[in-house]
Amino acid sequence: MKILILVLSYSKPPFDLLMKTQQETWDSIDVEGVSVVYYHGSLLAGDNVRSKITQHPENGAWSREAQFKCTDAYYYMAAKFKICLDYVKDWNYDIIFRTNSSSYVNKQRLVEFAKNLPTKGLYAGWEIEGNAGYNIVSGAGFFLSRDTADILRENIDPKFEREEDVYCGQILHEHGIKIIDDKSRFDINIWLGNNPPVNRYHYRFKGVHGDRNIDAVNMQRLHKFITDGY
C-alpha cells in the first residue's frame, strides 16, 4: 500500500517553525510506501507552483514542499486543498492522509492502521457533529481514497468561503460517502510530565497556552520519547 501524507502548511511564523520541526522529527524517519508533501500558498509571481525536495542527511528520508499561487486565508483552505489534489492526481498512491502543521505522524503505525481501511469510498478520521444535520471528520487528520479525493478535487469551488473540513464533509455527504470514525488520535494540549502513549499514529499539538513555539518543543519531546522507547 502506498500512502501520501499531505500536510496543510504555512510558510510564515510560527507555522514555518512547526513545518521545520515536522521535517526534523517524524518525517525524518523513512518508511517504505509513505510519501509526504507540505503544501502552502502565497506564491506571488512566476509559475503556479514551486516545489523543493528536503532530504534528511542521516537516513535519506525525503519530503516535498510545494508552494502554490493562492491565498493561505483560513476560509479558503479548501481551495488550496483542491490545488494540491490537482498537483498529486497522477501520483502513485492508494490512500491520502491529510493533516496539518499541528500534527506528529508515526508513519509506521499509520501504515499498520491504513492496512485495514478500504481503498474505495474512504473518508475516515475523528468524526464530529456537524451543524447541518450530518457529521463531518475533523480537519486535523483524515483519510481519503483516490475516488473520494477525486470527488473533492472535482467539486470544491475555490471561490466558496467556508471551513475546509466542513466544506469537504458537505461535498462527500452529498455524494453518499459514509464516515469511518476513528478517535485514536492523541491530543497534547499542554505537557504535564505524563508519558503519552506510543501506540498512536496521530498526535495533535494545540496547546491551551496558544504558543506554537511551545507546541514545536513538545513535538520534539514526543519524538525523542517515541524513538527512545522503540
Side-chain angles (χ1 to χ4, degrees), residues 75-210:
Y75 286 105
Y76 289 97
M77 290 193 303
K80 184 164 53 175
F81 188 38
K82 174 184 174 68
I83 295 173
C84 189
L85 292 176
D86 281 332
Y87 178 65
V88 303
K89 68 181 178 67
D90 295 325
W91 290 24
N92 183 19
Y93 70 86
D94 300 298
I95 288 176
I96 284 174
F97 181 64
R98 213 296 268 129
T99 187
N100 59 29
S101 296
S102 304
S103 293
Y104 181 103
V105 180
N106 185 319
K107 293 180 185 177
Q108 188 58 54
R109 296 215 178 260
L110 182 77
V111 170
E112 294 167 3
F113 179 82
K115 286 178 180 178
N116 297 315
L117 293 175
T119 55
K120 297 287 186 182
L122 176 61
Y123 176 42
W126 192 298
E127 185 174 2
I128 56 178
E129 185 177 352
N131 57 9
Y134 53 86
N135 290 352
I136 62 171
V137 171
S138 166
F142 56 89
F143 292 93
L144 299 170
S145 49
R146 292 195 73 100
D147 58 329
T148 52
D150 284 341
I151 289 172
L152 293 178
R153 182 175 61 83
E154 294 166 1
N155 288 276
I156 289 174
D157 179 354
K159 296 181 180 179
F160 192 73
E161 184 177 355
R162 197 172 192 184
E163 299 90 339
E164 180 194 32
D165 51 2
V166 176
Y167 190 24
C168 290
Q170 173 191 333
I171 292 171
L172 295 177
H173 172 77
E174 290 172 350
H175 283 77
I177 304 299
K178 305 299 183 182
I179 293 173
I180 297 176
D181 185 28
D182 173 58
K183 289 187 169 63
S184 61
R185 184 187 80 209
F186 189 80
D187 290 352
I188 298 179
N189 296 320
I190 189 169
W191 200 277
L192 299 177
N194 297 324
N195 292 336
V198 296
N199 61 344
R200 311 296 176 91
Y201 66 84
H202 185 199
Y203 301 79
R204 184 189 186 201
F205 293 83
K206 195 173 182 180
V208 294
H209 41 69

Side-chain angles (χ1 to χ4, degrees), residues 218-230:
N218 282 341
M219 191 179 296
Q220 293 169 337
R221 293 178 67 189
L222 174 68
H223 181 68
K224 187 175 188 304
F225 182 80
I226 289 177
T227 54
D228 285 352
Y230 273 45

Side-chain angles (χ1 to χ4, degrees), residues 45-62:
D47 298 333
N48 290 328
V49 59
R50 183 179 301 157
S51 66
K52 68 176 182 179
I53 301 293
T54 299
Q55 190 165 31
H56 196 272
E58 294 181 5
N59 56 23
W62 66 273

Side-chain angles (χ1 to χ4, degrees), residues 33-51:
V34 179
S35 302
V36 184
V37 175
Y38 300 84
Y39 68 97
H40 53 89
S42 301
L43 183 59
L44 300 179
D47 298 333
N48 290 328
V49 59
R50 183 179 301 157
S51 66

Side-chain angles (χ1 to χ4, degrees), residues 25-38:
T25 56
W26 61 265
D27 198 15
S28 70
I29 299 174
D30 190 26
V31 173
E32 184 178 359
V34 179
S35 302
V36 184
V37 175
Y38 300 84

